[in-house]
mmCIF file of all heavy atoms in Angstrom:
data_model
loop_
_atom_site.group_PDB
_atom_site.id
_atom_site.type_symbol
_atom_site.label_atom_id
_atom_site.label_comp_id
_atom_site.label_asym_id
_atom_site.label_seq_id
_atom_site.Cartn_x
_atom_site.Cartn_y
_atom_site.Cartn_z
ATOM 1 N N LYS A 989 0.824 -1.201 0.000
ATOM 2 C CA LYS A 989 0.001 0.000 0.000
ATOM 3 C C LYS A 989 0.860 1.254 0.000
ATOM 4 O O LYS A 989 1.809 1.371 0.771
ATOM 5 C CB LYS A 989 -0.920 0.003 1.232
ATOM 6 C CG LYS A 989 -1.866 -1.193 1.313
ATOM 7 C CD LYS A 989 -2.843 -1.211 0.136
ATOM 8 C CE LYS A 989 -3.809 -2.386 0.254
ATOM 9 N NZ LYS A 989 -4.725 -2.453 -0.912
ATOM 10 N N MET A 990 0.509 2.176 -0.864
ATOM 11 C CA MET A 990 1.212 3.454 -0.916
ATOM 12 C C MET A 990 0.708 4.354 0.203
ATOM 13 O O MET A 990 -0.477 4.363 0.515
ATOM 14 C CB MET A 990 0.999 4.130 -2.268
ATOM 15 C CG MET A 990 1.717 5.456 -2.424
ATOM 16 S SD MET A 990 3.513 5.320 -2.423
ATOM 17 C CE MET A 990 3.800 4.710 -4.098
ATOM 18 N N THR A 991 1.628 5.099 0.813
ATOM 19 C CA THR A 991 1.275 6.082 1.832
ATOM 20 C C THR A 991 1.795 7.441 1.391
ATOM 21 O O THR A 991 2.607 7.533 0.460
ATOM 22 C CB THR A 991 1.892 5.724 3.193
ATOM 23 O OG1 THR A 991 3.335 5.749 3.077
ATOM 24 C CG2 THR A 991 1.435 4.343 3.656
ATOM 25 N N VAL A 992 1.340 8.484 2.048
ATOM 26 C CA VAL A 992 1.778 9.845 1.707
ATOM 27 C C VAL A 992 3.284 9.972 1.877
ATOM 28 O O VAL A 992 3.980 10.544 1.017
ATOM 29 C CB VAL A 992 1.046 10.890 2.586
ATOM 30 C CG1 VAL A 992 1.619 12.285 2.332
ATOM 31 C CG2 VAL A 992 -0.451 10.872 2.310
ATOM 32 N N SER A 993 3.810 9.446 2.974
ATOM 33 C CA SER A 993 5.249 9.549 3.235
ATOM 34 C C SER A 993 6.064 8.804 2.174
ATOM 35 O O SER A 993 7.103 9.302 1.707
ATOM 36 C CB SER A 993 5.584 9.018 4.630
ATOM 37 O OG SER A 993 5.214 7.650 4.753
ATOM 38 N N LYS A 994 5.608 7.609 1.768
ATOM 39 C CA LYS A 994 6.309 6.846 0.736
ATOM 40 C C LYS A 994 6.296 7.588 -0.596
ATOM 41 O O LYS A 994 7.303 7.629 -1.312
ATOM 42 C CB LYS A 994 5.666 5.467 0.568
ATOM 43 C CG LYS A 994 5.940 4.499 1.702
ATOM 44 C CD LYS A 994 5.239 3.175 1.441
ATOM 45 C CE LYS A 994 5.484 2.183 2.566
ATOM 46 N NZ LYS A 994 4.763 0.899 2.343
ATOM 47 N N PHE A 995 5.146 8.178 -0.928
ATOM 48 C CA PHE A 995 5.027 8.902 -2.195
ATOM 49 C C PHE A 995 5.962 10.115 -2.213
ATOM 50 O O PHE A 995 6.643 10.371 -3.209
ATOM 51 C CB PHE A 995 3.587 9.347 -2.419
ATOM 52 C CG PHE A 995 3.343 9.937 -3.782
ATOM 53 C CD1 PHE A 995 3.181 9.104 -4.885
ATOM 54 C CD2 PHE A 995 3.287 11.312 -3.970
ATOM 55 C CE1 PHE A 995 2.958 9.642 -6.151
ATOM 56 C CE2 PHE A 995 3.071 11.848 -5.216
ATOM 57 C CZ PHE A 995 2.901 11.016 -6.319
ATOM 58 N N ILE A 996 6.021 10.845 -1.103
ATOM 59 C CA ILE A 996 6.906 12.016 -1.011
ATOM 60 C C ILE A 996 8.365 11.593 -1.145
ATOM 61 O O ILE A 996 9.158 12.257 -1.826
ATOM 62 C CB ILE A 996 6.669 12.773 0.311
ATOM 63 C CG1 ILE A 996 5.287 13.431 0.300
ATOM 64 C CG2 ILE A 996 7.753 13.833 0.532
ATOM 65 C CD1 ILE A 996 4.891 14.070 1.619
ATOM 66 N N MET A 997 8.721 10.478 -0.509
ATOM 67 C CA MET A 997 10.095 9.985 -0.614
ATOM 68 C C MET A 997 10.440 9.608 -2.054
ATOM 69 O O MET A 997 11.544 9.888 -2.536
ATOM 70 C CB MET A 997 10.304 8.802 0.326
ATOM 71 C CG MET A 997 10.438 9.198 1.787
ATOM 72 S SD MET A 997 10.969 7.846 2.875
ATOM 73 C CE MET A 997 9.451 6.889 2.954
ATOM 74 N N LEU A 998 9.482 8.982 -2.748
ATOM 75 C CA LEU A 998 9.719 8.624 -4.149
ATOM 76 C C LEU A 998 9.868 9.867 -5.020
ATOM 77 O O LEU A 998 10.697 9.902 -5.932
ATOM 78 C CB LEU A 998 8.575 7.749 -4.665
ATOM 79 C CG LEU A 998 8.581 6.287 -4.221
ATOM 80 C CD1 LEU A 998 7.318 5.576 -4.679
ATOM 81 C CD2 LEU A 998 9.806 5.554 -4.759
ATOM 82 N N VAL A 999 9.083 10.894 -4.731
ATOM 83 C CA VAL A 999 9.209 12.164 -5.462
ATOM 84 C C VAL A 999 10.602 12.754 -5.250
ATOM 85 O O VAL A 999 11.240 13.228 -6.196
ATOM 86 C CB VAL A 999 8.124 13.170 -5.016
ATOM 87 C CG1 VAL A 999 8.419 14.564 -5.563
ATOM 88 C CG2 VAL A 999 6.745 12.716 -5.487
ATOM 89 N N CYS A 1000 11.079 12.722 -4.012
ATOM 90 C CA CYS A 1000 12.409 13.264 -3.696
ATOM 91 C C CYS A 1000 13.499 12.501 -4.434
ATOM 92 O O CYS A 1000 14.426 13.104 -5.000
ATOM 93 C CB CYS A 1000 12.659 13.216 -2.189
ATOM 94 S SG CYS A 1000 11.656 14.364 -1.238
ATOM 95 N N VAL A 1001 13.407 11.172 -4.447
ATOM 96 C CA VAL A 1001 14.399 10.354 -5.155
ATOM 97 C C VAL A 1001 14.323 10.625 -6.656
ATOM 98 O O VAL A 1001 15.356 10.744 -7.326
ATOM 99 C CB VAL A 1001 14.176 8.854 -4.866
ATOM 100 C CG1 VAL A 1001 15.091 7.997 -5.743
ATOM 101 C CG2 VAL A 1001 14.426 8.557 -3.395
ATOM 102 N N LEU A 1002 13.112 10.728 -7.184
ATOM 103 C CA LEU A 1002 12.915 11.015 -8.606
ATOM 104 C C LEU A 1002 13.535 12.349 -8.990
ATOM 105 O O LEU A 1002 14.286 12.449 -9.963
ATOM 106 C CB LEU A 1002 11.414 11.022 -8.931
ATOM 107 C CG LEU A 1002 11.000 11.531 -10.316
ATOM 108 C CD1 LEU A 1002 11.511 10.600 -11.401
ATOM 109 C CD2 LEU A 1002 9.480 11.665 -10.395
ATOM 110 N N MET A 1003 13.253 13.389 -8.200
ATOM 111 C CA MET A 1003 13.692 14.730 -8.561
ATOM 112 C C MET A 1003 15.153 15.000 -8.227
ATOM 113 O O MET A 1003 15.752 15.943 -8.754
ATOM 114 C CB MET A 1003 12.806 15.766 -7.870
ATOM 115 C CG MET A 1003 11.339 15.705 -8.279
ATOM 116 S SD MET A 1003 11.073 15.652 -10.080
ATOM 117 C CE MET A 1003 11.834 17.192 -10.582
ATOM 118 N N CYS A 1004 15.753 14.177 -7.369
ATOM 119 C CA CYS A 1004 17.159 14.412 -7.035
ATOM 120 C C CYS A 1004 18.065 14.148 -8.236
ATOM 121 O O CYS A 1004 19.208 14.591 -8.282
ATOM 122 C CB CYS A 1004 17.584 13.570 -5.829
ATOM 123 S SG CYS A 1004 18.098 11.892 -6.200
ATOM 124 N N ILE A 1005 17.525 13.421 -9.219
ATOM 125 C CA ILE A 1005 18.301 13.135 -10.431
ATOM 126 C C ILE A 1005 18.464 14.387 -11.284
ATOM 127 O O ILE A 1005 19.421 14.512 -12.054
ATOM 128 C CB ILE A 1005 17.596 12.035 -11.252
ATOM 129 C CG1 ILE A 1005 17.306 10.809 -10.378
ATOM 130 C CG2 ILE A 1005 18.437 11.614 -12.451
ATOM 131 C CD1 ILE A 1005 16.302 9.840 -10.982
ATOM 132 N N GLN A 1006 17.531 15.345 -11.144
ATOM 133 C CA GLN A 1006 17.520 16.535 -11.996
ATOM 134 C C GLN A 1006 18.801 17.358 -11.879
ATOM 135 O O GLN A 1006 19.323 17.853 -12.869
ATOM 136 C CB GLN A 1006 16.312 17.421 -11.632
ATOM 137 C CG GLN A 1006 14.979 16.894 -12.096
ATOM 138 C CD GLN A 1006 14.651 17.335 -13.518
ATOM 139 O OE1 GLN A 1006 15.527 17.708 -14.285
ATOM 140 N NE2 GLN A 1006 13.387 17.285 -13.866
ATOM 141 N N PHE A 1007 19.305 17.502 -10.654
ATOM 142 C CA PHE A 1007 20.486 18.359 -10.447
ATOM 143 C C PHE A 1007 21.724 17.817 -11.169
ATOM 144 O O PHE A 1007 22.341 18.546 -11.960
ATOM 145 C CB PHE A 1007 20.749 18.545 -8.946
ATOM 146 C CG PHE A 1007 21.991 19.333 -8.649
ATOM 147 C CD1 PHE A 1007 22.083 20.677 -9.002
ATOM 148 C CD2 PHE A 1007 23.085 18.741 -8.014
ATOM 149 C CE1 PHE A 1007 23.228 21.413 -8.732
ATOM 150 C CE2 PHE A 1007 24.229 19.463 -7.750
ATOM 151 C CZ PHE A 1007 24.305 20.795 -8.103
ATOM 152 N N PRO A 1008 22.132 16.554 -10.941
ATOM 153 C CA PRO A 1008 23.299 16.060 -11.678
ATOM 154 C C PRO A 1008 23.095 16.038 -13.190
ATOM 155 O O PRO A 1008 24.045 16.261 -13.945
ATOM 156 C CB PRO A 1008 23.511 14.643 -11.116
ATOM 157 C CG PRO A 1008 22.259 14.299 -10.411
ATOM 158 C CD PRO A 1008 21.657 15.566 -9.949
ATOM 159 N N ILE A 1009 21.856 15.793 -13.638
ATOM 160 C CA ILE A 1009 21.600 15.801 -15.077
ATOM 161 C C ILE A 1009 21.750 17.211 -15.642
ATOM 162 O O ILE A 1009 22.248 17.399 -16.762
ATOM 163 C CB ILE A 1009 20.192 15.235 -15.386
ATOM 164 C CG1 ILE A 1009 20.147 13.730 -15.107
ATOM 165 C CG2 ILE A 1009 19.786 15.517 -16.826
ATOM 166 C CD1 ILE A 1009 21.048 12.892 -15.989
ATOM 167 N N SER A 1010 21.328 18.218 -14.888
ATOM 168 C CA SER A 1010 21.487 19.613 -15.329
ATOM 169 C C SER A 1010 22.964 19.966 -15.474
ATOM 170 O O SER A 1010 23.357 20.652 -16.429
ATOM 171 C CB SER A 1010 20.813 20.557 -14.334
ATOM 172 O OG SER A 1010 19.416 20.337 -14.290
ATOM 173 N N ILE A 1011 23.793 19.493 -14.540
ATOM 174 C CA ILE A 1011 25.243 19.694 -14.634
ATOM 175 C C ILE A 1011 25.796 18.936 -15.839
ATOM 176 O O ILE A 1011 26.640 19.440 -16.587
ATOM 177 C CB ILE A 1011 25.951 19.217 -13.342
ATOM 178 C CG1 ILE A 1011 25.429 19.990 -12.125
ATOM 179 C CG2 ILE A 1011 27.458 19.349 -13.474
ATOM 180 C CD1 ILE A 1011 25.691 21.472 -12.163
ATOM 181 N N PHE A 1012 25.273 17.738 -16.041
ATOM 182 C CA PHE A 1012 25.704 16.917 -17.175
ATOM 183 C C PHE A 1012 25.356 17.591 -18.497
ATOM 184 O O PHE A 1012 26.141 17.536 -19.455
ATOM 185 C CB PHE A 1012 25.048 15.539 -17.086
ATOM 186 C CG PHE A 1012 25.426 14.604 -18.199
ATOM 187 C CD1 PHE A 1012 26.698 14.056 -18.262
ATOM 188 C CD2 PHE A 1012 24.505 14.276 -19.185
ATOM 189 C CE1 PHE A 1012 27.041 13.183 -19.286
ATOM 190 C CE2 PHE A 1012 24.849 13.411 -20.217
ATOM 191 C CZ PHE A 1012 26.107 12.861 -20.270
ATOM 192 N N ASP A 1013 24.180 18.220 -18.571
ATOM 193 C CA ASP A 1013 23.776 18.949 -19.780
ATOM 194 C C ASP A 1013 24.804 20.020 -20.134
ATOM 195 O O ASP A 1013 25.191 20.173 -21.304
ATOM 196 C CB ASP A 1013 22.411 19.616 -19.565
ATOM 197 C CG ASP A 1013 21.264 18.611 -19.591
ATOM 198 O OD1 ASP A 1013 21.489 17.466 -19.998
ATOM 199 O OD2 ASP A 1013 20.144 18.981 -19.186
ATOM 200 N N ILE A 1014 25.228 20.763 -19.123
ATOM 201 C CA ILE A 1014 26.220 21.828 -19.330
ATOM 202 C C ILE A 1014 27.532 21.241 -19.828
ATOM 203 O O ILE A 1014 28.166 21.767 -20.749
ATOM 204 C CB ILE A 1014 26.441 22.618 -18.021
ATOM 205 C CG1 ILE A 1014 25.141 23.333 -17.618
ATOM 206 C CG2 ILE A 1014 27.582 23.627 -18.175
ATOM 207 C CD1 ILE A 1014 25.175 23.958 -16.236
ATOM 208 N N PHE A 1015 27.940 20.114 -19.235
ATOM 209 C CA PHE A 1015 29.188 19.447 -19.622
ATOM 210 C C PHE A 1015 29.124 18.954 -21.066
ATOM 211 O O PHE A 1015 30.058 19.163 -21.846
ATOM 212 C CB PHE A 1015 29.466 18.284 -18.671
ATOM 213 C CG PHE A 1015 30.611 17.412 -19.087
ATOM 214 C CD1 PHE A 1015 31.921 17.837 -18.913
ATOM 215 C CD2 PHE A 1015 30.382 16.159 -19.669
ATOM 216 C CE1 PHE A 1015 32.993 17.028 -19.312
ATOM 217 C CE2 PHE A 1015 31.434 15.352 -20.066
ATOM 218 C CZ PHE A 1015 32.744 15.786 -19.885
ATOM 219 N N VAL A 1016 28.019 18.284 -21.419
ATOM 220 C CA VAL A 1016 27.862 17.753 -22.782
ATOM 221 C C VAL A 1016 27.883 18.869 -23.810
ATOM 222 O O VAL A 1016 28.542 18.760 -24.855
ATOM 223 C CB VAL A 1016 26.542 16.947 -22.898
ATOM 224 C CG1 VAL A 1016 26.227 16.624 -24.360
ATOM 225 C CG2 VAL A 1016 26.643 15.660 -22.099
ATOM 226 N N GLU A 1017 27.182 19.956 -23.527
ATOM 227 C CA GLU A 1017 27.152 21.093 -24.457
ATOM 228 C C GLU A 1017 28.544 21.683 -24.624
ATOM 229 O O GLU A 1017 28.941 22.040 -25.742
ATOM 230 C CB GLU A 1017 26.168 22.145 -23.953
ATOM 231 C CG GLU A 1017 26.011 23.357 -24.859
ATOM 232 C CD GLU A 1017 25.458 23.048 -26.244
ATOM 233 O OE1 GLU A 1017 24.937 21.922 -26.458
ATOM 234 O OE2 GLU A 1017 25.556 23.912 -27.130
ATOM 235 N N ALA A 1018 29.313 21.784 -23.542
ATOM 236 C CA ALA A 1018 30.672 22.334 -23.611
ATOM 237 C C ALA A 1018 31.574 21.439 -24.469
ATOM 238 O O ALA A 1018 32.361 21.934 -25.287
ATOM 239 C CB ALA A 1018 31.250 22.473 -22.202
ATOM 240 N N VAL A 1019 31.451 20.117 -24.298
ATOM 241 C CA VAL A 1019 32.261 19.182 -25.085
ATOM 242 C C VAL A 1019 31.875 19.258 -26.561
ATOM 243 O O VAL A 1019 32.748 19.300 -27.440
ATOM 244 C CB VAL A 1019 32.074 17.737 -24.566
ATOM 245 C CG1 VAL A 1019 32.729 16.731 -25.510
ATOM 246 C CG2 VAL A 1019 32.663 17.596 -23.165
ATOM 247 N N LEU A 1020 30.581 19.282 -26.842
ATOM 248 C CA LEU A 1020 30.119 19.382 -28.236
ATOM 249 C C LEU A 1020 30.569 20.688 -28.878
ATOM 250 O O LEU A 1020 30.929 20.711 -30.065
ATOM 251 C CB LEU A 1020 28.589 19.264 -28.290
ATOM 252 C CG LEU A 1020 27.994 17.876 -28.016
ATOM 253 C CD1 LEU A 1020 26.477 17.949 -27.967
ATOM 254 C CD2 LEU A 1020 28.434 16.869 -29.077
ATOM 255 N N ASN A 1021 30.541 21.763 -28.108
ATOM 256 C CA ASN A 1021 30.980 23.059 -28.633
ATOM 257 C C ASN A 1021 32.435 23.023 -29.081
ATOM 258 O O ASN A 1021 32.814 23.662 -30.072
ATOM 259 C CB ASN A 1021 30.806 24.152 -27.581
ATOM 260 C CG ASN A 1021 29.345 24.523 -27.336
ATOM 261 O OD1 ASN A 1021 29.011 25.270 -26.425
ATOM 262 N ND2 ASN A 1021 28.428 23.974 -28.152
ATOM 263 N N GLN A 1022 33.260 22.270 -28.357
ATOM 264 C CA GLN A 1022 34.670 22.127 -28.728
ATOM 265 C C GLN A 1022 34.827 21.395 -30.055
ATOM 266 O O GLN A 1022 35.833 21.540 -30.747
ATOM 267 C CB GLN A 1022 35.437 21.378 -27.626
ATOM 268 C CG GLN A 1022 35.522 22.123 -26.306
ATOM 269 C CD GLN A 1022 36.224 23.466 -26.432
ATOM 270 O OE1 GLN A 1022 37.283 23.573 -27.061
ATOM 271 N NE2 GLN A 1022 35.615 24.497 -25.863
ATOM 272 N N LEU A 1023 33.809 20.621 -30.411
ATOM 273 C CA LEU A 1023 33.818 19.874 -31.672
ATOM 274 C C LEU A 1023 33.052 20.607 -32.768
ATOM 275 O O LEU A 1023 32.853 20.071 -33.861
ATOM 276 C CB LEU A 1023 33.203 18.489 -31.457
ATOM 277 C CG LEU A 1023 33.882 17.589 -30.410
ATOM 278 C CD1 LEU A 1023 33.062 16.323 -30.187
ATOM 279 C CD2 LEU A 1023 35.300 17.233 -30.863
ATOM 280 N N GLY A 1024 32.611 21.832 -32.450
ATOM 281 C CA GLY A 1024 31.845 22.606 -33.419
ATOM 282 C C GLY A 1024 30.402 22.174 -33.532
ATOM 283 O O GLY A 1024 29.752 22.433 -34.548
ATOM 284 N N LEU A 1025 29.900 21.503 -32.493
ATOM 285 C CA LEU A 1025 28.531 21.001 -32.505
ATOM 286 C C LEU A 1025 27.757 21.559 -31.316
ATOM 287 O O LEU A 1025 28.329 22.151 -30.410
ATOM 288 C CB LEU A 1025 28.525 19.474 -32.455
ATOM 289 C CG LEU A 1025 29.263 18.747 -33.583
ATOM 290 C CD1 LEU A 1025 29.360 17.256 -33.281
ATOM 291 C CD2 LEU A 1025 28.568 18.971 -34.921
ATOM 292 N N SER A 1026 26.424 21.344 -31.322
ATOM 293 C CA SER A 1026 25.597 21.821 -30.220
ATOM 294 C C SER A 1026 24.341 20.964 -30.077
ATOM 295 O O SER A 1026 23.757 20.522 -31.065
ATOM 296 C CB SER A 1026 25.182 23.275 -30.451
ATOM 297 O OG SER A 1026 24.281 23.705 -29.440
ATOM 298 N N ALA A 1027 23.983 20.729 -28.814
ATOM 299 C CA ALA A 1027 22.718 20.038 -28.509
ATOM 300 C C ALA A 1027 21.806 20.982 -27.738
ATOM 301 O O ALA A 1027 20.863 20.535 -27.081
ATOM 302 C CB ALA A 1027 22.987 18.772 -27.710
ATOM 303 N N LYS A 1028 22.083 22.265 -27.833
ATOM 304 C CA LYS A 1028 21.349 23.272 -27.053
ATOM 305 C C LYS A 1028 19.853 23.228 -27.329
ATOM 306 O O LYS A 1028 19.034 23.292 -26.400
ATOM 307 C CB LYS A 1028 21.893 24.665 -27.346
ATOM 308 C CG LYS A 1028 21.296 25.757 -26.476
ATOM 309 C CD LYS A 1028 21.932 27.104 -26.771
ATOM 310 C CE LYS A 1028 21.325 28.198 -25.892
ATOM 311 N NZ LYS A 1028 21.926 29.529 -26.188
ATOM 312 N N ALA A 1029 19.490 23.128 -28.599
ATOM 313 C CA ALA A 1029 18.067 23.122 -28.963
ATOM 314 C C ALA A 1029 17.360 21.921 -28.337
ATOM 315 O O ALA A 1029 16.246 22.045 -27.821
ATOM 316 C CB ALA A 1029 17.907 23.108 -30.477
ATOM 317 N N ALA A 1030 18.015 20.764 -28.365
ATOM 318 C CA ALA A 1030 17.412 19.549 -27.800
ATOM 319 C C ALA A 1030 17.282 19.668 -26.286
ATOM 320 O O ALA A 1030 16.268 19.276 -25.701
ATOM 321 C CB ALA A 1030 18.256 18.332 -28.159
ATOM 322 N N ILE A 1031 18.316 20.223 -25.640
ATOM 323 C CA ILE A 1031 18.300 20.393 -24.185
ATOM 324 C C ILE A 1031 17.210 21.375 -23.774
ATOM 325 O O ILE A 1031 16.441 21.123 -22.840
ATOM 326 C CB ILE A 1031 19.676 20.873 -23.676
ATOM 327 C CG1 ILE A 1031 20.724 19.778 -23.887
ATOM 328 C CG2 ILE A 1031 19.605 21.254 -22.197
ATOM 329 C CD1 ILE A 1031 22.153 20.231 -23.628
ATOM 330 N N GLU A 1032 17.125 22.496 -24.493
ATOM 331 C CA GLU A 1032 16.125 23.514 -24.162
ATOM 332 C C GLU A 1032 14.708 23.013 -24.411
ATOM 333 O O GLU A 1032 13.783 23.354 -23.666
ATOM 334 C CB GLU A 1032 16.394 24.790 -24.965
ATOM 335 C CG GLU A 1032 17.635 25.547 -24.493
ATOM 336 C CD GLU A 1032 17.884 26.810 -25.296
ATOM 337 O OE1 GLU A 1032 17.243 26.966 -26.371
ATOM 338 O OE2 GLU A 1032 18.716 27.636 -24.867
ATOM 339 N N SER A 1033 14.519 22.200 -25.446
ATOM 340 C CA SER A 1033 13.181 21.695 -25.745
ATOM 341 C C SER A 1033 12.677 20.768 -24.634
ATOM 342 O O SER A 1033 11.485 20.705 -24.352
ATOM 343 C CB SER A 1033 13.170 20.942 -27.078
ATOM 344 O OG SER A 1033 13.914 19.741 -26.984
ATOM 345 N N SER A 1034 13.604 20.069 -23.973
ATOM 346 C CA SER A 1034 13.208 19.166 -22.892
ATOM 347 C C SER A 1034 12.932 19.918 -21.594
ATOM 348 O O SER A 1034 12.346 19.366 -20.664
ATOM 349 C CB SER A 1034 14.305 18.118 -22.650
ATOM 350 O OG SER A 1034 15.477 18.725 -22.136
ATOM 351 N N GLN A 1035 13.362 21.183 -21.524
ATOM 352 C CA GLN A 1035 13.196 21.977 -20.302
ATOM 353 C C GLN A 1035 12.253 23.159 -20.490
ATOM 354 O O GLN A 1035 12.003 23.901 -19.543
ATOM 355 C CB GLN A 1035 14.566 22.507 -19.841
ATOM 356 C CG GLN A 1035 15.589 21.414 -19.573
ATOM 357 C CD GLN A 1035 16.973 21.970 -19.307
ATOM 358 O OE1 GLN A 1035 17.256 23.148 -19.551
ATOM 359 N NE2 GLN A 1035 17.865 21.122 -18.813
#
């Protein structure tokens, strides 16, 4: 059975991934830029 506390904990675990992924987005874009490429449009469309 799901409870309010369990659901909140799952939300926290789910959303904690956002921060490292946001840092990763910046890193990937910087690496691609060095190669003359960009994923900026794809990153922005997802956000």
Side-chain angles (χ1 to χ4, degrees):
K989 301 297 182 183
M990 181 66 77
T991 63
V992 174
S993 60
K994 287 179 180 178
F995 188 79
I996 292 173
M997 284 190 286
L998 283 174
V999 169
C1000 290
V1001 173
L1002 170 66
M1003 298 311 300
C1004 85
I1005 307 165
Q1006 286 273 20
F1007 176 66
I1009 290 296
S1010 296
I1011 300 297
F1012 180 71
D1013 286 348
I1014 296 171
F1015 172 76
V1016 169
E1017 182 62 14
V1019 171
L1020 288 174
N1021 288 172
Q1022 295 300 314
L1023 301 173
L1025 301 171
S1026 175
K1028 186 177 180 181
I1031 293 171
E1032 289 180 347
S1033 68
S1034 67
Q1035 302 172 347

